[in-house]
Amino acid sequence: MVNITINGKLVQAYEGEMLLAAIRRENIDIPALCHHEAVEPYGACRLCMVEITKNEWDGWKNHVTSCLYPVEEGLIVNTHTPTVIELRKTILDLFLASSPHSTVIKKLAAEYGITRTSYEEVPDSTDCILCGLCTRICDKMGFSAISAVGRGHGKEIAPPLKEPPPDCVGCLSCAYICPTHYIQFTDNGKERTIWGKKFKLLRCEKTGLPTITEEFAAYLIKHREIPEDYFKINDLSHRRELALKMGQITQWGREA
Amino acid sequence: MRISTPKQLKELQKKFQDRDNKLAKKIIVCHGPGCLASGAEKIYQEFKKILSEKKITGITLEALKKTGCHGLCEKAPLVAIEPDKILYTHVKERHVVDIIEKTIKKNEIIPELLYVDPQTKEKIVRYPDIKFYSHQTRIALRNLGHINAADIDDYIRVGGYQGMVKAVTKMTPEAIIEEISKSGLRGRGGGGFPTGRKWATCRKVEDDTHYVICNGDEGDPGAFMDRAIMEGDPHSVLEGMIIAAFAVGARDGYIYVREEYPLAVINLQIAIEQAREYGLLGEQIMGTYFSFDIQINRGAGAFVCGESSALMKSVAGEVGEPRAKYIRSVVKGLYDKPTVLNNVETYANVPLIIEKGADWFTGIGVKKNSGTKAFSLVGKVRNTGLIEVPMGTTLREIIYDIGGGLIDGRPFKAVQTGGPSGGCLPDTMLDSPVDFDSLTKAGSMMGSGGMIVMDDRTCMVDVAKYFLSFLVSESCGKCNPCREGLYQLYKLAIKISEGRGEEGDLEKMEKLSDMIILGSLCGLGKSGPNPFLSTVRYFREEYLAHIRDKKCPAGVCRELIRFEINDKCDGCTACLMACAYNAITGSKKQPHVINQELCTHCGACVTVCTRNAIDVF
């Protein structure tokens, strides 16, 4: 364990963990839009920045993204100094100019007292804040079907050549992790569409309910050592079967 | 043939020197970027044709040589005659016969091809007498213009690989690092981090693999120092890298070159193959247990890939985005292994420091800023080109002595140093020395070494706007303050230049700049607001003129200017022809008039007018 001070309170943190985890454990609310436990920290939204110093630094202070800064013995952290709040306000103000219609951004900005951006609204704005969560989760799942395209102010998230992505299996991880709900998909129980690619859904042989996409099932069977007939029925039917088996076992036990 | 002892290398050097001394005269055709663009290759071929067709006594094809950049790009293409040190400028194909007939055969000078001093109007025969060259000290550029880049023998002839052989056979890695630390060599890529300290940290990290990388991703507009070194003297970079690899214990090295430098890629590849043939790269170098090899990685020309962590990602085949460097790349760099990354120019300095010693190096330059720095001097200066001066040289010396002053003798307004994220310095700073610390203190930075001179017809708001637009499109787009913050800063600069600026805009921009500096992830973002901050620091009045008076004093910002024809007009109709919008009317030999409603303020008329008859308001 390492000892750190957060907002004047001495707390213990686990070796190797990032500052953000220790701060959140203390129930201190600092926003972080590009952070998610499922993927490696990235440091793109800059909202989780905090002020750090140490007694031996002779008053020298640094501002770091807490999602990426590993805890160190003797670290003194301040999460709500005037400079930090000023910075968060500026960033939210900028986000509000680039994604003016996003409810998530609007709500967060309002918490910091900003209801209208003081900058020029970006033309053709979208709700995408380029946090990179979708591409990171896609990489982590092993597909790498989408990626950041271009650079500078014109950067966007897109499949290769902006065509339906050949490597996408329709698992929807990107849509679920998206903090601003920008990534859209349709699912009518038979067919699913995401990134312009159509997927056929498998159906449970017992209940007739849709399960996952054919491509996703094929991928899991091939790469995750899952039995071939596993996806013929859905999770509910799997549980029912299991319950039935458990019941039989207990029944036999009683008979014996 | 493998070179495996220092003696063998000395013998080779002697052999190549003797071979060279036998040549009575050498014709050197500069093949730097500037000269190639103005037809150096054709001149070379013409020389080759004539020399191989005609039998001229005392001169053979061996005497003809193509070299890297001479530096005086303004006067390209350049041809030098050695050993007389004669320099011919603006040489055309038709001059080739003359040069052979007169200068080579009869030792006659061709006056019309000589350099003319802009101040004294005197014709100068020998290039060491030209102020452009006499005020320079060349270390990193030492061999440019003297050796054939595609020939390792020529590099060995001028003393190449002596430093590396000394390092590998006679010194310990610790001694090398000690020597580099003592020399005070600082990173020439712009950061100015002490090279010795970087190597020492990397060596101390315990790991089975260390990497050495050379950053050749020079992306600043108007900068070409690294390009010139890689194209004209690739072996000096390799030699520096081999010494670095030996010092930190690396087995593999990478050179990251941008694809836009095709000749640099070719020459580096040739150099690597030649060094391998001589056993200077590869297994068991100089018969020791030290093995090292180098690969070339070609970058796609993203400005951000010059940033160390983005560069390493790009080398590894990932998207070139910087990462937070709370754990430094000397500890965890390429493939998460300890990595030394230095700039081309830094590596080019290393062999000489090892060969001549740290004391020699600290004798050049000023305290804490030893050695020299190469610059590409461009803009409104008479002698544009590639230069190298000792640290601590003043801006005035560089611009007026080496650069020969401003074109047409116009007043100096500002000099931009440090590339897009550097800053603009006004005439009051002309006497400040050029070194890492002084430039940073003045609000600019050393950067990789671009130097753009601007005259009184340059609008500083326009300059800030241009560099901001560059940074907005070259930001990697990863973090919010850089991507969105610089974009908004750029939009505000446009607003001011179009005359829509309001009171308080400057303060808003300054506040936003502070936040971008504080919040950005990498050095690009942290220095991104510099074009604005340095111009507003020294030229605030000019900004205010745009905002309050809706005027552009330099007559650049289109929305704020107006052209009018004065009574000097003699009706030559040149402007009438040049105007694409039919905004100028008038008959021959009668004063012309500009229709203000049709005029788009493009300035084409001003450019063609030879009578100074068009005023800009």
Side-chain angles (χ1 to χ4, degrees):
Chain A
M1 299 297 272
V2 284
N3 298 302
I4 58 172
T5 313
I6 302 176
N7 294 349
K9 186 181 164 196
L10 196 70
V11 297
Q12 285 203 315
Y14 299 101
E15 204 132 334
E17 75 173 339
M18 298 296 161
L19 267 182
L20 184 66
I23 294 169
R24 290 213 162 147
R25 209 164 34 241
E26 288 303 303
N27 283 325
I28 297 166
D29 182 35
I30 52 172
L33 286 172
C34 71
H35 180 79
H36 195 283
E37 289 76 4
V39 287
E40 297 271 309
Y42 191 54
C45 77
R46 321 303 285 171
L47 282 168
C48 70
M49 276 196 128
V50 293
E51 180 201 277
I52 57 165
T53 184
K54 272 186 180 182
N55 282 331
E56 61 263 32
W57 286 358
D58 294 327
W60 186 72
K61 285 167 185 162
N62 196 7
H63 288 85
V64 297
T65 40
S66 58
C67 65
L68 272 169
Y69 199 90
V71 292
E72 275 170 36
E73 184 66 38
L75 210 59
I76 301 165
V77 187
N78 279 305
T79 61
H80 284 77
T81 65
T83 318
V84 168
I85 291 175
E86 182 70 43
L87 178 68
R88 255 174 234 156
K89 275 184 167 176
T90 310
I91 291 169
L92 287 167
D93 201 347
L94 289 168
F95 269 136
L96 208 53
S98 60
S99 306
H101 308 296
S102 162
T103 42
V104 177
I105 296 292
K106 276 199 253 182
K107 188 167 163 274
L108 198 56
E111 282 175 28
Y112 278 81
I114 302 166
T115 47
R116 270 196 61 191
T117 177
S118 56
Y119 301 103
E120 198 178 306
E121 272 189 20
V122 177
D124 309 323
S125 61
T126 67
D127 284 358
C128 178
I129 55 161
L130 290 164
C131 64
L133 277 171
C134 51
T135 59
R136 279 181 285 155
I137 195 78
C138 194
D139 287 345
K140 187 125 187 173
M141 293 291 288
F143 308 124
S144 299
I146 49 169
S147 167
V149 179
R151 57 175 180 266
H153 199 255
K155 188 178 186 172
E156 56 183 322
I157 305 291
L161 306 173
K162 299 188 185 170
E163 286 167 3
D167 294 328
C168 180
V169 298
C171 72
L172 300 186
S173 302
C174 53
Y176 289 138
I177 206 168
C178 179
T180 57
H181 317 301
Y182 168 66
I183 300 174
Q184 298 291 319
F185 66 95
T186 59
D187 190 334
N188 62 8
K190 283 181 189 153
E191 223 178 44
R192 180 183 285 173
T193 314
I194 188 163
W195 297 109
K197 189 176 175 182
K198 281 192 166 69
F199 299 93
K200 248 180 94 182
L201 289 166
L202 290 174
R203 282 178 173 276
C204 170
E205 283 176 357
K206 297 213 165 133
T207 60
L209 292 171
T211 58
I212 58 172
T213 64
E214 284 178 356
E215 285 84 350
F216 195 17
Y219 177 86
L220 291 174
I221 289 163
K222 193 172 169 201
H223 297 281
R224 298 282 196 274
E225 293 176 7
I226 289 171
E228 268 184 43
D229 56 353
Y230 185 85
F231 295 107
K232 284 188 176 155
I233 54 174
N234 67 2
D235 286 353
L236 191 71
S237 305
H238 275 298
R239 279 199 289 276
R240 263 188 204 147
E241 260 187 11
L242 190 68
L244 222 63
K245 230 175 237 167
M246 295 291 276
Q248 280 169 355
I249 291 166
T250 43
Q251 196 71 32
W252 294 330
R254 229 172 278 162
E255 276 167 12
Chain B
M1 185 189 60
R2 278 182 72 93
I3 301 172
S4 47
T5 59
K7 202 177 144 224
Q8 225 177 333
L9 185 72
K10 282 267 181 227
E11 280 167 9
L12 264 183
Q13 187 190 2
K14 182 89 189 15
K15 187 177 131 196
F16 298 142
Q17 276 173 345
D18 289 347
R19 197 169 71 187
D20 194 70
N21 290 340
K22 276 185 198 145
L23 302 170
K25 280 227 184 331
K26 284 185 282 178
I27 304 166
I28 288 174
V29 185
C30 173
H31 269 51
C35 288
L36 275 178
S38 22
E41 185 59 37
K42 276 187 190 162
I43 294 165
Y44 180 79
Q45 293 303 339
E46 186 71 17
F47 268 118
K48 203 171 162 186
K49 209 177 91 194
I50 295 178
L51 288 181
S52 50
E53 276 173 8
K54 295 183 189 169
K55 290 274 173 281
I56 301 163
T57 40
I59 190 149
T60 55
L61 259 185
E62 267 180 35
L64 182 64
K65 195 192 282 190
K66 48 175 148 181
T67 68
C69 187
H70 271 257
L72 193 53
C73 305
E74 182 69 38
K75 308 287 175 200
L78 302 170
V79 171
I81 310 293
E82 300 281 9
D84 310 328
K85 298 192 190 297
I86 300 167
L87 184 73
Y88 286 143
T89 60
H90 292 313
V91 180
K92 300 258 157 40
E93 271 173 273
R94 60 187 156 87
H95 296 134
V96 169
V97 181
D98 266 8
I99 293 175
I100 292 178
E101 291 297 325
K102 289 186 182 161
T103 314
I104 302 294
K105 281 190 183 170
K106 300 181 199 154
N107 272 331
E108 272 173 35
I109 304 293
I110 306 168
E112 66 260 35
L113 290 178
L114 292 176
Y115 174 83
V116 183
D117 190 286
Q119 266 104 33
T120 59
K121 307 287 173 210
E122 192 189 328
K123 288 189 172 175
I124 298 171
V125 178
R126 295 174 70 248
Y127 63 81
D129 301 333
I130 299 175
K131 269 187 186 173
F132 178 83
Y133 289 102
S134 61
H135 281 70
Q136 294 192 43
T137 307
R138 293 194 160 203
I139 295 177
L141 310 177
R142 59 190 177 277
N143 296 327
L144 291 184
H146 299 294
I147 64 162
N148 181 354
D151 186 5
I152 191 171
D153 297 349
D154 217 17
Y155 183 65
I156 291 176
R157 175 180 68 84
V158 293
Y161 288 108
Q162 304 282 358
M164 168 256 173
V165 166
K166 181 182 171 190
V168 174
T169 56
K170 297 201 181 100
M171 293 170 85
T172 62
E174 286 78 11
I176 294 170
I177 292 174
E178 177 65 30
E179 197 70 19
I180 296 292
S181 300
K182 247 173 52 193
S183 76
L185 177 66
R186 292 171 70 173
R188 298 299 197 243
F193 191 82
T195 307
R197 205 193 301 165
K198 191 185 270 181
W199 292 10
T201 320
C202 184
R203 177 165 182 83
K204 272 185 210 136
V205 181
E206 278 183 30
D207 205 312
D208 50 358
T209 314
H210 291 66
Y211 291 111
V212 168
I213 306 181
C214 171
N215 185 350
D217 190 68
E218 185 178 47
D220 299 1
F224 51 92
M225 302 77 54
D226 295 349
R227 174 185 195 158
I229 295 174
M230 288 188 289
E231 286 182 358
D233 192 15
H235 284 286
S236 69
V237 182
L238 300 190
E239 195 182 346
M241 284 181 76
I242 300 170
I243 295 170
F246 184 70
V248 302
R251 171 108 191 38
D252 291 294
Y254 296 88
I255 303 179
Y256 190 84
V257 200
R258 49 192 0 233
E259 181 72 23
E260 289 96 322
Y261 289 178
L263 188 58
V265 176
I266 293 170
N267 282 356
L268 281 167
Q269 194 60 52
I270 294 172
I272 289 173
E273 274 156 26
Q274 289 174 340
R276 278 184 196 146
E277 239 169 70
Y278 275 160
L280 301 169
L281 276 177
E283 301 293 321
Q284 303 189 350
I285 295 167
M286 301 302 291
T288 63
Y289 284 107
F290 166 59
S291 303
F292 178 65
D293 210 345
I294 297 174
Q295 271 183 42
I296 296 178
N297 264 73
R298 286 177 295 174
F303 180 66
V304 72
C305 285
E307 197 274 348
S308 62
S309 59
L311 187 149
M312 286 173 201
K313 280 205 166 179
S314 181
V315 170
E318 291 172 45
V319 177
E321 280 178 357
R323 62 165 178 83
K325 282 188 276 189
Y326 303 136
I327 300 167
R328 283 172 299 153
S329 54
V330 278
V331 180
K332 234 176 165 186
L334 182 63
Y335 304 119
D336 284 346
K337 299 287 180 188
T339 307
V340 158
L341 176 93
N342 283 121
N343 172 264
V344 169
E345 201 187 326
T346 317
Y347 282 125
N349 273 303
V350 168
L352 276 197
I353 297 175
I354 295 298
E355 201 190 328
K356 298 192 177 180
D359 294 335
W360 163 79
F361 196 72
T362 45
I364 304 162
V366 289
K367 211 178 165 218
K368 286 190 178 170
N369 287 278
S370 46
T372 56
K373 178 78 191 80
F375 290 99
S376 49
L377 187 63
V378 293
K380 299 283 171 62
V381 68
R382 280 202 181 101
N383 296 335
T384 55
L386 183 71
I387 61 163
E388 185 173 350
V389 289
M391 294 269 187
T393 307
T394 62
L395 284 167
R396 192 182 294 281
E397 282 174 71
I398 293 176
I399 295 164
Y400 286 94
D401 292 341
I402 297 174
L406 275 79
I407 297 175
D408 299 337
R410 294 200 76 89
F412 169 88
K413 182 164 187 180
V415 57
Q416 210 270 357
T417 71
S421 36
C424 295
L425 302 175
D427 51 356
T428 49
M429 305 302 285
L430 268 179
D431 290 309
S432 82
V434 174
D435 59 55
F436 288 104
D437 306 319
S438 310
L439 283 179
T440 311
K441 220 170 82 191
S444 182
M445 62 184 210
M446 184 71 102
S448 61
M451 202 173 264
I452 305 171
V453 180
M454 303 170 197
D455 65 11
D456 61 331
R457 282 188 297 190
T458 318
C459 168
M460 298 321 279
V461 181
D462 190 61
V463 168
K465 203 175 80 179
Y466 166 74
F467 283 113
L468 283 173
S469 84
F470 178 87
L471 290 167
V472 166
S473 50
E474 286 299 329
S475 151
C476 81
K478 178 175 176 175
C479 76
N480 172 288
C482 175
R483 184 186 67 235
E484 303 297 341
L486 287 178
Y487 173 80
Q488 295 294 352
L489 207 57
Y490 171 54
K491 284 279 158 193
L492 284 163
I494 291 180
K495 191 179 154 193
I496 293 175
S497 81
E498 288 179 353
R500 294 181 285 119
E502 300 160 46
E503 289 288 326
D505 273 355
L506 287 186
E507 290 71 20
K508 187 175 171 183
M509 286 172 85
E510 280 165 331
K511 207 181 105 188
L512 178 59
S513 300
D514 287 346
M515 289 300 135
I516 296 172
I517 293 168
L518 185 72
S520 288
L521 190 151
C522 78
L524 195 155
K526 283 186 190 300
S527 57
N530 272 357
F532 164 69
L533 286 177
S534 73
T535 46
V536 83
R537 176 171 165 186
Y538 294 113
F539 302 94
R540 202 177 185 92
E541 285 307 314
E542 198 168 342
Y543 275 91
L544 290 176
H546 283 75
I547 296 171
R548 282 187 194 147
D549 315 332
K550 310 290 174 202
K551 284 241 153 63
C552 176
V556 174
C557 297
R558 278 192 182 199
E559 278 74 7
L560 303 179
I561 52 171
R562 195 162 48 87
F563 294 104
E564 264 175 36
I565 296 176
N566 60 30
D567 51 9
K568 284 184 202 150
C569 178
D570 61 357
C572 73
T573 72
C575 57
L576 192 145
M577 310 275 209
C579 183
Y581 300 90
N582 293 330
I584 300 179
T585 47
S587 44
K588 261 188 195 171
K589 296 191 177 169
Q590 295 297 316
H592 289 27
V593 185
I594 298 177
N595 181 345
Q596 296 299 337
E597 274 172 25
L598 292 177
C599 178
T600 61
H601 315 120
C602 68
C605 49
V606 184
T607 320
V608 295
C609 183
T610 51
R611 308 285 190 277
N612 248 336
I614 300 171
D615 294 328
V616 188
F617 295 99

